[in-house]
């Protein structure tokens, strides 16, 4: 997972014989798969749910000072996007790849008030 901490985040997966080569491939693929996430006062604008294969995730906005309440895979994505206060959970599959993809699907469906207007 790569992100600038200001609403841009991407993910990628890489396989190689060495760890450094796999990380390099994953980062290159993640940079090709970037999405923009609306971040409002350190949280998300509204609740959202998404499914990917067997993974079902939900994310909800939280008040200032709550922190990122999420599992390891979701925490990496949310923190890379620059979200500092959110309540999140995962049901169903605990496969990290599917949880990350479901989290990205939920973040891609978020809309802020300016976009809707």
């Amino acid at each position: 997972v790569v992100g600038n901490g200001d609403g841009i985040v991407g993910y990628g997966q890489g396989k190689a014989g060495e760890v450094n080569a796999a990380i390099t491939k994953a980062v290159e693929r993640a940079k090709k798969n970037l999405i923009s996430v609306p971040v409002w006062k350190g949280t998300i604008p509204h609740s959202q749910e998404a499914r990917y294969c067997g993974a079902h995730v939900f994310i909800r906005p939280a008040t200032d000072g709550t922190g990122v309440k999420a599992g390891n895979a979701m925490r990496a994505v949310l923190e890379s996007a620059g979200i500092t206060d959110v309540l999140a959970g995962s049901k169903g599959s605990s496969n990290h790849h599917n949880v990350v993809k479901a989290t990205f699907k939920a973040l891609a469906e978020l809309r802020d008030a300016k976009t809707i207007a």
Side-chain angles (χ1 to χ4, degrees), residues 5 68 74-83:
V68 179
M74 292 179 72
R75 178 184 301 274
V77 174
L78 297 170
E79 287 180 348
S80 296
I83 299 171

Side-chain angles (χ1 to χ4, degrees), residues 44 46-50 57-61 74 78 83 86-89 103 106-107 110:
I44 57 176
H46 59 85
S47 298
Q48 189 66 44
E49 292 187 21
V57 299
F58 60 92
I59 52 178
R60 296 183 180 144
M74 292 179 72
L78 297 170
I83 299 171
V86 70
L87 301 171
T103 305
L107 291 176
L110 288 175

Side-chain angles (χ1 to χ4, degrees), residues 13-29:
Q13 182 179 355
K15 292 172 66 176
E18 297 180 15
V19 175
N20 289 338
I23 291 172
T24 303
K25 286 183 180 182
V27 169
E28 288 174 6
R29 290 181 183 149

Side-chain angles (χ1 to χ4, degrees), residues 57-108:
V57 299
F58 60 92
I59 52 178
R60 296 183 180 144
T63 59
D64 190 30
T66 302
V68 179
K69 305 286 187 188
N72 289 340
M74 292 179 72
R75 178 184 301 274
V77 174
L78 297 170
E79 287 180 348
S80 296
I83 299 171
T84 57
D85 301 304
V86 70
L87 301 171
S90 173
K91 295 185 256 181
S93 174
S94 61
N95 182 347
H96 294 298
H97 298 292
N98 289 343
V99 172
V100 168
K101 291 176 183 179
T103 305
F104 265 84
K105 190 174 176 182
L107 291 176

